[in-house]
């Protein structure tokens, strides 16, 4: 199995500054020409930047040491040493940088802006040449400064996928089938549990200007929050989503316990997952007996949580799929309007200029219309 690269430990080193130069003018007919030693060049910096076409940390799997170039030493005739080249480390959107030893969060890339950069370590300053030490009492200084050393750190790089909606459910609940139906992702689908082994992303086209990204993580099992199964490792990938989409397999006679079990695992995992707005899809109502179980489950959830929308669907037979699609779009748009209040909420129909900034910004290019993770 190809491992999904969502974590990496790397060593970063900024460049050392170049040493200052001790030099004196040596010209015919100009005795005692005086000092002319140049300064050392500055060491290179360690810089992180966002690359929107990156979707995993696979490029850090084998390249784990990043060193900036050292500054060049100063030279005679007041020539300044060349500055060391920076080392630029590209990371995908949603990457967080942490100290490998303490776990302290250093920086979090939550924006997909290609121009976003984070200067983490500065290179050492170059040393002064002896020209700086000339004085009336010391006209031939033989002193120059050494360049300052660079810095060295061990970092833990973690990726949380930037998606709008996260699919949550037990194995074989129909999450991958829904992703395949809604988007152009083509996850592996088979009639047995744990078909999905890495997170899958798909693009749901809303209109000509708007797209949503849906993340399907491997199925959760009971005890996932304590480390059981595959789900625990990937739960963090839905921590940034606007909302969650629960998939319940109503062909299973134990489906009545599935919803509460999923809520328990999310609550135990933390990171605010339990507080996210959610939609519940009671799937496989085309199977004999499943429709009755879905009716009862929907009634129980609605009575306990009136704000949770429950839709009875069949992904296989395309039953109530349009309603589910509309509910997803509405949930994401609602959450963004709560985050960034619109000036014209009261209008029943929103013009293009009044659409939420979130939905307007989700337009993606052709390179994103694939099943991103796991493809490396």
């Amino acid at each position: 199995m190809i491992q999904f690269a969502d974590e990496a430990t790397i060593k970063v080193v900024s460049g050392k500054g170049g040493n200052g130069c001790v030099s004196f003018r040596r010209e015919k007919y100009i005795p005692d020409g005086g000092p002319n030693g140049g300064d050392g060049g500055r060491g290179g910096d360690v810089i992180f930047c966002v690359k929107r076409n990156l979707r995993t940390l696979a490029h850090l799997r084998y390249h784990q040491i990043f060193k900036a170039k050292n500054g060049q030493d100063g030279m005679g005739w007041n020539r300044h040493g060349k500055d060391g080249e920076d080392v630029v480390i590209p990371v995908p959107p949603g990457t967080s940088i942490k100290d490998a030893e303490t776990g302290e969060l250093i920086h979090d890339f939550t924006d997909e802006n290609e121009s976003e950069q984070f200067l983490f370590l500065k290179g050492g300053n170059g040393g002064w040449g002896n020209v700086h030490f000339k004085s009336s009492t010391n006209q031939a200084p033989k002193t120059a400064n050494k360049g300052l050393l660079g810095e060295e750190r061990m970092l833990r790089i973690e990726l949380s996928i930037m998606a709008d909606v996260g699919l949550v459910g037990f194995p074989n609940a129909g999450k991958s089938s829904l992703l395949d139906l809604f988007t152009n992702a083509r996850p592996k689908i088979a009639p047995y549990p744990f078909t999905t082994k890495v997170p899958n992303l798909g693009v749901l086209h809303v209109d000509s200007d708007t797209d949503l990204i849906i993340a399907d993580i491997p199925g959760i099992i009971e005890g996932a929050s304590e480390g059981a199964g595959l789900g625990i490792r990937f739960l963090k990938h839905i921590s940034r989503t606007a909302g969650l989409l629960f998939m319940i397999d109503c062909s299973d006679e134990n489906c009545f316990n599935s919803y509460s079990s999923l809520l328990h695992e999310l609550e135990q995992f933390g990171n605010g997952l339990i507080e996210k707005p959610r939609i519940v899809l009671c799937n496989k109502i085309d199977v004999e007996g499943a429709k009755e179980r879905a009716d009862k489950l929907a009634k129980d959830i609605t009575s306990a949580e009136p704000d949770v929308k429950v839709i009875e669907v069949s992904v296989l037979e395309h039953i109530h799929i349009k309603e589910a699609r509309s509910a997803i779009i509405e949930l994401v748009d609602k959450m963004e309007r709560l985050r960034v209040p619109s000036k014209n909420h009261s209008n029943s129909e929103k013009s293009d200029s009044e659409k939420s900034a979130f939905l307007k910004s989700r337009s993606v290019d052709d390179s994103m219309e694939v099943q991103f993770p796991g493809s490396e």
Side-chain angles (χ1 to χ4, degrees):
M1 180 183 105
I2 299 176
Q3 292 185 343
F4 176 53
D6 59 351
E7 296 179 352
T9 300
I10 63 174
K11 177 181 179 181
V12 294
V13 184
S14 60
K16 173 186 176 296
N19 298 322
C21 175
V22 175
S23 175
F24 297 92
R25 293 177 61 186
R26 296 288 188 270
E27 294 181 74
K28 192 175 182 181
Y29 308 121
I30 304 180
D32 303 325
N36 67 352
D39 301 340
R42 191 174 183 278
D45 301 330
V46 176
I47 299 172
F48 288 87
C49 71
V50 168
K51 286 296 182 183
R52 193 163 176 252
N53 63 333
L54 286 178
R55 291 296 156 188
T56 71
L57 300 176
H59 61 297
L60 303 181
R61 182 177 291 165
Y62 303 112
H63 186 181
Q64 298 176 340
I65 300 178
F66 295 86
K67 290 184 177 181
K69 298 293 185 181
N70 294 334
Q72 187 179 19
D73 292 344
M75 294 166 283
W77 297 102
N78 296 318
R79 287 178 294 175
H80 192 286
K82 182 180 178 181
D83 291 341
E85 294 183 7
D86 301 333
V87 60
V88 180
I89 307 171
V91 294
T95 298
S96 58
I97 304 172
K98 299 181 179 179
D99 186 278
E101 297 180 358
T102 65
E104 175 191 0
L105 179 63
I106 297 171
H107 191 78
D108 192 8
F109 288 100
T110 57
D111 193 356
E112 294 190 18
N113 187 354
E114 285 273 0
S115 63
E116 182 179 2
Q117 289 192 342
F118 170 55
L119 195 161
F120 176 52
L121 294 181
K122 288 187 175 182
N125 290 328
W128 279 359
N130 67 336
V131 69
H132 291 280
F133 298 93
K134 179 181 177 181
S135 68
S136 59
T137 58
N138 186 10
Q139 297 185 7
K142 297 182 180 179
T143 302
N145 287 341
K146 291 185 177 180
L148 298 181
L149 296 175
E151 299 180 73
E152 179 180 314
R153 292 282 292 276
M154 292 295 296
L155 300 176
R156 180 75 171 173
I157 312 298
E158 297 181 358
L159 170 64
S160 294
I161 290 173
M162 298 287 286
D164 304 308
V165 178
L167 282 172
V168 178
F170 286 113
N172 213 31
K175 303 189 303 300
S176 295
S177 297
L178 185 73
L179 189 71
D180 178 73
L181 181 63
F182 274 169
T183 75
N184 50 7
R186 295 297 175 260
K188 182 179 179 181
I189 301 172
Y192 55 82
F194 301 110
T195 312
T196 303
K197 295 182 179 179
V198 298
N200 296 318
L201 293 184
V203 178
L204 171 63
H205 292 283
V206 179
D207 53 41
S208 59
D209 298 320
T210 307
D211 302 279
L212 302 181
I213 298 178
I214 300 177
D216 168 26
I217 67 169
I220 302 171
I221 65 174
E222 291 191 37
S225 58
E226 300 174 359
L230 295 170
I232 179 63
R233 179 182 172 189
F234 301 116
L235 278 175
K236 65 184 177 184
H237 291 297
I238 55 175
S239 62
R240 301 177 189 267
T241 57
L244 302 178
L245 188 64
F246 283 67
M247 290 288 291
I248 307 296
D249 180 6
C250 289
S251 67
D252 185 358
E253 295 181 357
N254 296 321
C255 65
F256 301 106
N257 298 324
S258 297
Y259 181 65
S260 58
S261 297
L262 289 171
L263 289 179
H264 174 74
E265 296 303 331
L266 295 184
E267 185 176 19
Q268 292 299 309
F269 182 77
N271 286 354
L273 293 183
I274 193 65
E275 300 171 2
K276 288 186 177 294
R278 49 186 175 268
I279 299 170
V280 179
L281 299 186
C282 298
N283 191 24
K284 303 186 183 180
I285 60 173
D286 57 300
V287 178
E288 183 179 355
K291 181 65 170 68
E292 292 74 14
R293 286 189 284 270
D295 290 341
K296 184 179 185 307
L297 181 59
K299 183 178 179 180
D300 293 344
I301 295 175
T302 303
S303 61
E305 302 175 78
D307 295 335
V308 175
K309 191 164 189 174
V310 183
I311 305 174
E312 300 176 24
V313 301
S314 169
V315 177
L316 182 63
E317 299 294 334
H318 296 191
I319 300 174
H320 298 159
I321 292 301
K322 288 184 178 180
E323 291 86 337
R325 182 180 183 276
S326 298
I328 293 171
I329 297 171
E330 182 181 351
L331 180 145
V332 175
D333 192 31
K334 177 182 177 181
M335 292 308 298
E336 178 58 20
R337 283 188 282 111
L338 289 175
R339 187 178 70 85
V340 184
S342 173
K343 295 180 179 179
N344 300 306
H345 274 1
S346 57
N347 294 345
S348 57
E349 294 184 2
K350 295 183 292 181
S351 65
D352 289 341
S353 61
E354 293 169 334
K355 284 185 180 180
S356 74
F358 180 79
L359 289 181
K360 290 173 67 177
S361 68
R362 299 314 299 169
S363 181
V364 295
D365 52 41
D366 292 339
S367 65
M368 296 179 65
E369 298 184 4
V370 294
Q371 179 181 340
F372 306 128
S375 61
E376 72 275 10

